Structures are given as C-alpha cells and as structure tokens.
Amino acid sequence: MTSRFIILFFAFCAWPAMLLQWTPAGAANILAVHTIPGKTHWNVMRGVLRALTDSGHTVTVFTPFIDGDRDGYTEVDVSGDLVVRVGINISLIMSTQSTRSVIAYIVNTTRTNCGVIFDHSQMQEVLDGRLRLFDVVFADAIWSDCVSYAATVLRVPAIYVVPSAIVTYTERSFFGHVLNPAAVSNLMSKFAVPKTFADRFANAMETVYGAWLLWSEERRLRQSDPQPFDAVDLVRPSLTFTNTHFITEPSRPLTPDIVQIGGIHLTPPAPIPKDILEFIENASHGVIYFTFGSLVSMDSIPENVQRTLRETLARLPQKVLWKYEGEMANKPKNVMTRKWFPQRDILAHPNVKLFISHGGISGVYEAVDLGVPILGFPFFYDQPRNIDNLVNAGMALSMDLLSVTEEILLNAVLQIVNDEKYRKNAKIVSERFKDRPMSSADSVVYWTEYVIRHHGAPHLKSHALNLSWYQYFLVDVMCTLFFIVLIVLFVVYYCLKIMYKQLFQYFNYIKVKRE
C-alpha cells in the first residue's frame, strides 16, 4: 500500500512537467532564433512560424519583436539585449553605402547578436537540455553561419530563413556553389541582371571582392573576439527558405535544398480605418501611397529634399498618404500624414494608383501581389536590385532621392499614373506571382516536415559542400592537365631534338662522303 502511494505521489508531482513537454501526436517541437533586429526581416520569420503553428507544430522563438504567446507558440523576449533597428536617420544609412562598410557592419552585428542570444539564460537551459527536446532549429541567416550554433549543440537539423535574396558571398559556404557572375547579379549590385560587358565585369569584381571582405572580416573577429560558436564545426543548413520568387528575382540555378517562399508574410487585407478610407474614396483622381518603411525615419531626410517632395506632391491632382514620423511643416492640402498606415490594406484599394517606396522586399511583394506600380527611391543593400527587377518587368521607375528635382519627380509620377502600361504590367506580374502549385505557407510546412521525416534530408545537399576550394574550382584538375601538356611538349621537343640531331648527322655524313 505504501509503495503504491509513493508511485501515485511521484506521478502527481511529475504531471505538470510532462504537460509542458507534451505536443500533439505528429507535431514537431521547433526552436527558432531571430538574430536580425529588423522589422522587415522579422515579418518573414513571423510568417514562417505562423504557418508552422497553424499546422499544429509547437514553436519556441527567441526574438526582439514580441507579438504575444498563443497556442503552440512561445516567445522569449530578447529586445532588452538587442538593438532594434527602426526609424534610422537617413544620414547613417547613406554613410554605409560601400560594400566594405555594409559587410563590416552586418557581420559585426550578426556575431554580436548571436553571442547575446546564445548567452541568454533561457537559451542556456535549452542548450543544456533542461527544457523540451527540439526536432529542428530555425534561424534567420544572412551573412554568418553562427546562427546554427543551437542546432549544432542540440544535434538536430538546421533550417535557414533568408529574408532577402540569397547573399552572394555565403552561397559557397551554405550551399556549396558559387553563382556565375556573367548571368546572376550580386546582391549588392545596382542592376537586376548583368546585361553589358561593363555590368559583367563590375559584377565579377564585386563578387570576388565581397567574398574576400567577408572571409577577412570573419577571420579578424574570430581572432580578436572568439565566441563559443567559433570553437565548433557548425552544421550546415538541411534546408533554406529564401524570401524570393522568380517573378521578383531573375531566374537562376538553385540546389534542391533551397525553397523559394516569396510573399510568406502576406496576409488577407483588412478593413481600412474610417478616416483613411474616406480620404481614399473621396479622391476623384486616385491616391498615391508614400512610405520608406520602418527602417528609415522620413523626417530625417534633408530639408531641401523634403521641400522638393512637398512641392511636387502639392502639384498633383491625386491625394497622397504619406507615412511621416514627425510634424510636417507646410504640409500640402492634398496630403495626409501618419506615423503608421495599414500599408497592405491601403495598397489593396482599387483607387490607389501608385506606390512610392524605397524598395524594401516586404513592400515590393505587397505591391506585386496587388498589382500596384512603383516609383522607387532605393537607398542601399538589396533595394536597388529589387527596384531594378520591377523596372525590367515594366511596372516601376527608379530614381535617386538626394539628386531628384521637382520637374523630374513630377514627370515620373505623372508618367506612371497616366500611362496604362505600368498598371497593366503590374497586373501581369501579379498574376504570375500568384500562379504557383502551393502557397508559401504550404511550402514551409511540407518541406519542414520533409526534413524531419528524413532525418535532416542530407540527400538534398550538394556534393560540392564536400569539396575544398581548389577541388571545386578544378585547380587540381587544371594543374594536372597543365602538367600533362608540359610532359607532352617536353616529349615532343625531345623527340624533335633527337630527330634533328640524327638528320643533321646524316646530312653531315652525306656531305663528307660526297667530298
């Protein structure tokens, strides 16, 4: 009787812990690590995790952006430890235009954030195995593979989520291959496709230079500031979800472990607030929506540029919704400003004629999905390339913000609004974008479960990952061929030399005999 009581007592004490570990039959326990403190990047990861929880999987995520817990979804707030990049002064962005400054900044930030998150007390409990067991680790990856440290320690597959196009300089490390700079533009390129010799030359030099900068910067940081993830052989991703689509990204070779999920963050449009809706519907000539996203603070733009924007927009017959963080001086009568607008809901309204944007990938997909033409003012990183893709598709124009004049801007706006070809092309791109065998969310769920079912799906990885750099670039093969050619040439030379000597002696003998 006593032993039965003891068993029941221990069972009663253990059931809460068992309940915390419990997940539905067939569901996976997923750990997610979000190291990039950018709102746009979080939108992609959030869309991925939403798709997984909606399918019954359980997610625990370390993130600086808090949406609130829900069934099967637990957030660990790291916002107090990471610097969230929202509303940055435009002068700071314009000062980081060069490839060197961008790579140095992003690599430093990523490694710092990896160190902060992996040193978090709750993450330490995860790595020590004191919390639930996980089946797979999701990590946002751009420039550094330090994000796969948790998967390495837990010995589970890693799945990367790339919130932009694939970073050119990490393709060899992540997937085993290097893009062909003659056909595929670098992520930092100003153009979508290298069309001319000058483009191909610049693209090739940028690719080599950027790869060297990334290698040297990571090497320097490993030596000057070693981290725990530097001491282990980090696992490579079993799968990578990339926020691209062949409509907004030119066609290019992809290995089977790369799955395109462009537009994963898109949600059904919701009702527009009443005051904004009245403003839109009372615009007899249509509405223009103007924003530079969450990254750039609009009121930090130089005053001379703001004056050009205000005076140009005041001359338009259309009304303008302008996302503007501060108080706007001399605001035109046809302009409504807010610190925040329901962007997707506004773009879905049929009276919206134009989207003026910086070319952030989230806004690009919203415009593409809804068939709205774009006037782009790209700043840096992938934005010039994003806008150029849409220019090539015939649904956008691209301009430089700091050098634009009132007349040039006015003509560009009127050209897009009044020329029906831009809206027609935007609708064609939208139809192609939506025509896919399964939604982005369904792709995320299917391929995640595929990786788990097949224990990391190692068969999806390219054999190129097993090759050293000299093997991959066939340096050993070319050296061997060169050596063989040298031997053949030497043999030929030696044979010719002997033949020449023999012939010389023969003719010399004939000459002496005749004499």
Side-chain angles (χ1 to χ4, degrees):
M1 185 69 180
T2 303
S3 60
R4 182 180 297 176
F5 173 77
I6 293 174
I7 292 173
L8 290 173
F9 175 77
F10 277 110
F12 176 79
C13 293
W15 80 267
M18 293 174 64
L19 185 62
L20 289 174
Q21 297 284 341
W22 180 86
T23 54
N29 284 326
I30 297 170
L31 174 66
V33 180
H34 186 72
T35 60
I36 307 173
K39 188 67 174 178
T40 299
H41 296 157
W42 170 243
N43 288 339
V44 179
M45 178 65 86
R46 177 170 54 188
V48 168
L49 301 182
R50 170 69 72 175
L52 294 169
T53 55
D54 287 350
S55 295
H57 298 293
T58 302
V59 172
T60 301
V61 57
F62 287 75
T63 176
F65 299 101
I66 301 303
D67 296 328
D69 293 349
R70 58 180 184 271
D71 289 343
Y73 180 82
T74 303
E75 293 175 329
V76 179
D77 186 4
V78 294
S79 60
D81 303 311
L82 302 185
V83 179
V84 177
R85 298 295 180 181
V86 176
I88 300 175
N89 191 295
I90 194 171
S91 61
L92 176 61
I93 293 176
M94 302 310 292
S95 66
T96 55
Q97 292 289 305
S98 69
T99 302
R100 176 180 288 275
S101 60
V102 169
I103 289 179
Y105 171 77
I106 294 181
V107 172
N108 274 275
T109 301
T110 303
R111 285 178 56 88
T112 299
N113 293 346
C114 280
V116 168
I117 289 181
F118 292 130
D119 195 46
H120 193 278
S121 59
Q122 287 184 254
M123 177 59 77
Q124 287 296 313
E125 293 181 9
V126 170
L127 299 180
D128 292 341
R130 285 177 279 163
L131 293 182
R132 69 170 75 240
L133 299 177
F134 293 97
D135 301 294
V136 66
V137 173
F138 274 73
D140 51 352
I142 299 184
W143 294 78
S144 176
D145 54 2
C146 67
V147 294
S148 65
Y149 179 62
T152 304
V153 174
L154 298 175
R155 297 183 179 180
V156 297
I159 295 180
Y160 285 176
V161 178
V162 180
S164 63
I166 299 172
V167 176
T168 311
Y169 317 116
T170 61
E171 290 199 42
R172 170 69 180 140
S173 173
F174 290 177
F175 315 116
H177 292 281
V178 176
L179 61 82
N180 184 348
V184 183
S185 65
N186 192 287
L187 179 69
M188 303 289 289
S189 295
K190 304 296 183 184
F191 43 80
V193 177
K195 299 177 181 178
T196 66
F197 171 77
D199 290 344
R200 287 184 285 112
F201 181 82
N203 196 41
M205 294 300 100
E206 175 72 25
T207 300
V208 174
Y209 177 60
W212 177 81
L213 283 177
L214 179 60
W215 174 82
S216 60
E217 184 66 18
E218 287 197 323
R219 182 172 178 269
R220 183 185 68 82
L221 291 172
R222 286 192 185 101
Q223 294 174 346
S224 63
D225 184 26
Q227 297 288 337
F229 44 78
D230 294 326
V232 297
D233 187 14
L234 297 171
V235 298
R236 289 189 172 96
S238 295
L239 193 78
T240 296
F241 292 119
T242 176
N243 189 29
T244 56
H245 188 274
F246 54 80
I247 291 302
T248 52
E249 180 79 7
S251 178
R252 52 156 298 169
L254 295 174
T255 51
D257 57 342
I258 300 175
V259 179
Q260 294 182 310
I261 57 166
I264 184 67
H265 70 289
L266 299 177
T267 57
I272 300 174
K274 185 178 179 181
D275 59 333
I276 301 175
L277 182 62
E278 290 178 353
F279 183 84
I280 294 174
E281 293 185 340
N282 291 333
S284 57
H285 295 281
V287 168
I288 296 171
Y289 179 58
F290 183 13
T291 177
F292 286 155
S294 60
L295 183 65
V296 179
S297 178
M298 189 74 76
D299 58 358
S300 69
I301 296 174
E303 176 56 32
N304 64 309
V305 178
Q306 289 196 46
R307 187 185 312 112
T308 299
L309 296 174
R310 289 195 305 267
E311 293 176 357
T312 303
L313 297 179
R315 296 171 60 183
L316 295 172
Q318 289 79 21
K319 290 186 175 182
V320 180
L321 294 169
W322 188 345
K323 180 180 176 294
Y324 194 92
E325 290 75 16
E327 292 295 327
M328 182 182 293
N330 303 317
K331 185 178 71 173
K333 294 181 180 180
N334 62 332
V335 171
M336 173 188 284
T337 60
R338 290 282 192 281
K339 294 181 179 179
W340 175 85
F341 281 109
Q343 178 168 295
R344 178 157 171 78
D345 309 331
I346 289 172
L347 292 176
H349 196 285
N351 206 26
V352 174
K353 306 298 183 183
L354 174 64
F355 179 26
I356 302 179
S357 169
H358 64 305
I361 195 64
S362 292
V364 163
Y365 278 125
E366 290 177 349
V368 166
D369 181 58
L370 298 167
V372 180
I374 289 181
L375 176 59
F377 289 100
F379 297 122
F380 77 132
Y381 198 55
D382 62 336
Q383 295 165 7
R385 193 168 175 267
N386 294 339
I387 292 297
D388 198 47
N389 279 318
L390 302 185
V391 171
N392 291 340
M395 61 170 288
L397 292 176
S398 181
M399 309 188 77
D400 177 63
L401 179 68
L402 300 183
S403 62
V404 71
T405 64
E406 185 176 336
E407 290 302 320
I408 292 176
L409 177 57
L410 179 64
N411 291 335
V413 171
L414 293 178
Q415 180 180 340
I416 296 178
V417 171
N418 296 329
D419 193 337
E420 192 61 27
K421 75 174 184 180
Y422 290 96
R423 179 164 291 273
K424 183 179 179 180
N425 289 333
K427 296 299 181 184
I428 292 173
V429 171
S430 176
E431 291 173 3
R432 293 173 180 171
F433 177 71
K434 296 175 182 177
D435 189 357
R436 55 179 80 184
M438 66 173 70
S439 67
S440 297
D442 290 340
S443 295
V444 166
V445 173
Y446 172 80
W447 284 107
T448 299
E449 294 175 350
Y450 184 93
V451 167
I452 295 173
R453 282 197 306 270
H454 297 283
H455 309 290
H459 54 281
L460 295 180
K461 295 182 182 179
S462 172
H463 173 62
L465 288 168
N466 303 320
L467 302 177
S468 59
W469 68 269
Y470 66 86
Q471 292 173 323
Y472 178 78
F473 290 107
L474 295 176
V475 175
D476 52 346
V477 173
M478 289 185 287
C479 288
T480 303
L481 287 174
F482 180 71
F483 184 69
I484 291 173
V485 170
L486 284 180
I487 293 176
V488 171
L489 291 175
F490 176 77
V491 171
V492 171
Y493 168 77
Y494 188 75
C495 291
L496 290 174
K497 184 178 180 181
I498 293 176
M499 291 173 61
Y500 173 79
K501 185 177 180 180
Q502 292 296 324
L503 288 172
F504 179 79
Q505 290 177 349
Y506 172 76
F507 286 113
N508 198 32
Y509 170 76
I510 297 297
K511 181 180 180 181
V512 171
K513 188 175 181 180
R514 287 178 177 176
E515 291 176 353

